[in-house]
Amino acid sequence: MGVRRCAAADGRSRSLGFRLILLHIVARGRIGRTPEAELLDRYLGRIAWPTRVTELPDRGGRVPAIEGHTKRVMLDETGEMLGSTGFAQRLGRWRDEGVREARFELGPADGFADAEREDADLLLSFGRVTWPHLLARAMLAEQLFRATTILAGHPYHREG
């Protein structure tokens, strides 16, 4: 899967004048033609910010180089459990600070090593239960869509 570009050629929001963050999902395993892939595509296609998905084999593979001002978010069961509004606020703060890429990493089946966790800017959890990797990708895409709509003032998200 490649990069989906935002509407403005320079990557800036025409109405607000700030640069949008590349929302980059880096995940282990191939999603193939599954119902989860359909959900992932559906939500990523709705996001007005640029998006990218990089799939790596279950083991090994070349992780894309981190360029510029990037925040690394690892999905991890020990991470913070942010609500949708809190997650949106975090993305909004990073956007306002000039972050160029928010990289969301879904690790191998056994999770990330402690050293990898220490390098993350945020450990994010979707709860203490274990989610299948393919479903976690779709859930992440929906939360990214929800966060960007919250930041845009769109009525998709309903609090409470």
Side-chain angles (χ1 to χ4, degrees):
M1 298 181 146
V3 177
R4 204 177 62 71
R5 301 274 179 206
C6 58
D10 65 355
R12 295 183 180 276
S13 166
R14 290 186 185 147
S15 60
L16 301 177
F18 52 77
R19 179 171 281 287
L20 299 176
I21 298 173
L22 169 64
L23 303 174
H24 187 179
I25 298 172
V26 178
R28 294 280 172 188
R30 303 279 180 210
I31 200 165
R33 293 181 182 197
T34 62
E36 295 89 353
E38 186 178 317
L39 277 174
L40 179 72
D41 290 343
R42 181 182 305 158
Y43 285 111
L44 290 180
R46 293 177 181 176
I47 298 173
W49 296 19
T51 62
R52 176 183 295 157
V53 175
T54 300
E55 291 185 325
L56 300 171
D58 291 329
R59 297 184 194 279
R62 203 170 109 221
V63 177
I66 294 177
E67 300 174 9
H69 195 118
T70 298
K71 293 290 186 180
R72 291 180 62 207
V73 179
M74 291 183 172
L75 271 68
D76 189 272
E77 63 188 9
T78 66
E80 282 185 66
M81 289 187 281
L82 296 174
S84 295
T85 302
F87 182 58
Q89 290 169 343
R90 182 81 52 109
L91 279 180
R93 186 172 67 240
W94 289 345
R95 175 201 61 201
D96 297 346
E97 292 171 353
V99 170
R100 304 286 300 238
E101 176 185 341
R103 182 172 291 191
F104 297 88
E105 301 178 25
L106 288 88
D110 294 328
F112 294 104
D114 290 338
E116 292 174 302
R117 284 188 190 100
E118 290 174 13
D119 288 340
D121 295 292
L122 173 64
L123 294 177
L124 179 65
S125 174
F126 287 149
R128 298 297 178 227
V129 296
T130 302
W131 293 101
H133 276 71
L134 299 183
L135 188 54
R137 281 191 221 185
M139 292 166 54
L140 174 60
E142 192 282 335
Q143 284 301 302
L144 290 170
F145 171 65
R146 184 177 297 272
T148 58
T149 61
I150 290 170
L151 292 171
H154 188 278
Y156 175 76
H157 177 71
R158 291 175 179 83
E159 194 75 31

